[in-house]
Amino acid sequence: MMYGYTWDTATPLAYAWSILPIILIGLTVTLKAAAAGFAIALVLGLVFAMLRRSRFRSVSWTTACVVEFLRDTPLLVQLFFLYYVLPEYGLTLPAFLTGALALGLQYSAYTSEVYRGGIEAVPRGQWEAATALNLTRMQTYRDIVVPQIVPRILPAMGNYMVAMIKETPVLSVITVLDMMALANMIGERTFEYLVPLTMVGVIFLILTLVCSAGLHRLQKVLPKAGIPLR
Amino acid sequence: MTENATPPLIQFAGVTKRFGALTVLDDFNFEVAPGEKVTLIGPSGSGKSTVLRILMTLEPFQEGRLTLAGMDYQEPAGTGPFKASERHLRDIRSHVGMVFQSFNLFPHMSVMRNVAEAPVRVLGLSRAEAEARALDLLALVGLVDKKDHFPSQLSGGQQQRVAIARALAMRPRVLLFDEPTSALDPQLVGEVLAVIRDLAHEHDLTMLLVTHEMRFAREVSDRVCFFDKGRICEQGSPEAIFTAPSHPRTCEFLASVLG
């Protein structure tokens, strides 16, 4: 029994049906972690990309180092570090928050490169027009640059979103009770792993397929020139 | 100009601008009186556009002094390539507007938004005020009916007219035109020149125009400056320059462009 639901291992189908509510509880955790992680990656990635383009060499260089470090060290190491090492220095975060943060941090390094490519593809004339109109750098990013790069970066961002969703099970190692962790626990108690793990796999497959289809659709409806402002 | 007593609005004093080893402006001296309409002509690479780009703070310069309405471009304690703080540069920019060869309209914004955006963001106008101002300016350039279109739906000539309205919406004292018709199909040049010609009647607006349209330069400008190798080698009234050029380089250039 888990979360008040008892399982029925009589037949595979009955077993699957009986543990579905538990798996779905795990799914909400998975979705929340992916959503929080990706939100962090989207915002922080843009911040990194902007800092890397700073006029101040020290700022751009430091940012480049941080991004490179995040990109080139394993997620699992970062995850353990945040979860086990930070508390030694007085910073204890709940497991879920730690997991979302680790996902977001690692993926912000990837998304910052996507943003950077998108920003570099904005013609120089757009920046010059913004300067001539006396817009600040922040206003230029917000009103001119970001709306224009969205259609261009959407495919790459979509890939990273799908990749991140698929990586959420790694959070189970720091006791986050996501879909994977619950399926594993059910397996440990029933000695019957096939059904719960298959269910997790199928749900991930559906999840990523739906995301891909949604992104594809979004790409179709979004004008090439950018998010239209009237 | 030197003959009247009003202090110059723009003053280049010994300005030198280099791109690496290439010297684009060489000990450059140039003054523009308030309200004056000045055309810069000359072969490509002679530094005409660079003068405009420096005035718009798109390019820094290395030596000399540049002032606009008594304001120095470079600050005594300024750092960075511009030797000035961003805040100081923004002060300067608030007096200057620019129209580009390639229009540089914002492709994701409607015509209305292109014109009204900066007045809202930078001047702090309400959206309604900015749109009322934009409508007046779109009327001036004859494009009110296109206000909800996007740049990609307009011809080059129409895009450039929107770009002029967009620059005017910031109410600059100085308006810079960097080869505004060079990217246009020949049949679209006239409509843009007509708009600029109307603006040339604005008494208070100071205009600097880089162009290859010699007949037009002759019509609208108070003064024509002929550039060669980073210096003005001859300047004077349009009549003087076009009918009786004295410098051999000017004669050569005019012969080549006027055929």
Side-chain angles (χ1 to χ4, degrees), chain A residues 69-79 106:
Chain A
F69 176 80
L70 288 172
R71 222 154 55 129
D72 296 341
T73 50
L75 177 59
L76 198 59
V77 175
Q78 291 173 19
L79 199 58
Q106 168 127 83

Side-chain angles (χ1 to χ4, degrees), chain B:
Chain B
M1 260 316 271
T2 37
E3 63 258 29
N4 57 32
T6 51
L9 181 64
I10 297 166
Q11 185 168 31
F12 284 79
V15 168
T16 295
K17 161 75 185 169
R18 292 185 210 92
F19 287 110
L22 182 74
T23 302
V24 187
L25 291 179
D26 183 12
D27 189 22
F28 179 73
N29 294 292
F30 179 51
E31 290 182 2
V32 181
E36 203 181 2
K37 320 292 185 256
V38 183
T39 307
L40 316 181
I41 62 169
S44 53
S46 59
K48 315 171 298 268
S49 290
T50 305
V51 168
L52 302 196
R53 293 176 57 79
I54 287 176
L55 278 168
M56 193 66 257
T57 73
L58 297 175
E59 301 280 356
F61 56 93
Q62 283 79 37
E63 282 157 43
R65 189 167 174 221
L66 171 59
T67 56
L68 176 104
M71 254 191 303
D72 255 293
Y73 268 57
Q74 298 184 338
E75 292 180 300
T79 56
F82 286 92
K83 301 193 182 87
S85 65
E86 182 61 23
R87 196 187 150 148
H88 181 71
L89 293 175
R90 296 195 71 229
D91 272 351
I92 290 168
R93 277 179 213 136
S94 68
H95 299 286
V96 189
M98 187 156 178
V99 174
F100 299 87
Q101 180 177 350
S102 49
F103 331 133
N104 297 348
L105 290 184
F106 303 128
H108 60 301
M109 290 186 183
S110 67
V111 164
M112 173 57 93
R113 189 84 179 218
N114 259 286
V115 180
E117 189 69 2
V120 170
R121 298 291 189 212
V122 179
L123 306 180
L125 266 59
S126 71
R127 189 61 67 180
E129 287 170 319
E131 293 196 343
R133 183 185 282 194
L135 273 181
D136 286 346
L137 290 166
L138 289 174
L140 185 78
V141 300
L143 287 171
V144 172
D145 56 326
K146 302 285 186 198
K147 71 181 172 67
D148 297 320
H149 286 54
F150 284 85
S152 59
Q153 300 166 307
L154 303 180
S155 72
Q158 290 169 333
Q159 289 191 47
Q160 193 60 299
R161 283 146 67 196
V162 173
I164 293 170
R166 181 177 71 170
L168 287 170
M170 298 300 285
R171 305 247 165 108
R173 293 179 70 178
V174 181
L175 192 48
L176 311 170
F177 293 89
D178 189 8
E179 304 198 23
T181 58
S182 297
L184 295 175
D185 292 337
Q187 76 272 20
L188 300 177
V189 169
E191 61 185 77
V192 172
L193 293 186
V195 168
I196 301 174
R197 192 177 290 124
D198 286 345
L199 284 179
H201 296 130
E202 296 274 335
H203 180 74
D204 292 329
L205 184 66
T206 305
M207 281 173 35
L208 265 70
L209 185 77
V210 171
T211 185
H212 294 295
E213 301 283 336
M214 294 302 149
R215 228 177 37 174
F216 178 72
R218 189 165 176 173
E219 263 176 75
V220 298
S221 36
D222 300 320
R223 178 160 52 119
V224 176
C225 300
F226 175 72
F227 275 65
D228 192 48
K229 300 196 177 84
R231 291 188 178 200
I232 294 174
C233 76
E234 184 170 3
Q235 58 178 317
S237 69
E239 283 70 32
I241 296 288
F242 289 112
T243 57
S246 59
H247 198 282
R249 289 290 294 141
T250 320
C251 302
E252 209 178 294
F253 176 75
L254 289 176
S256 73
V257 292
L258 298 175

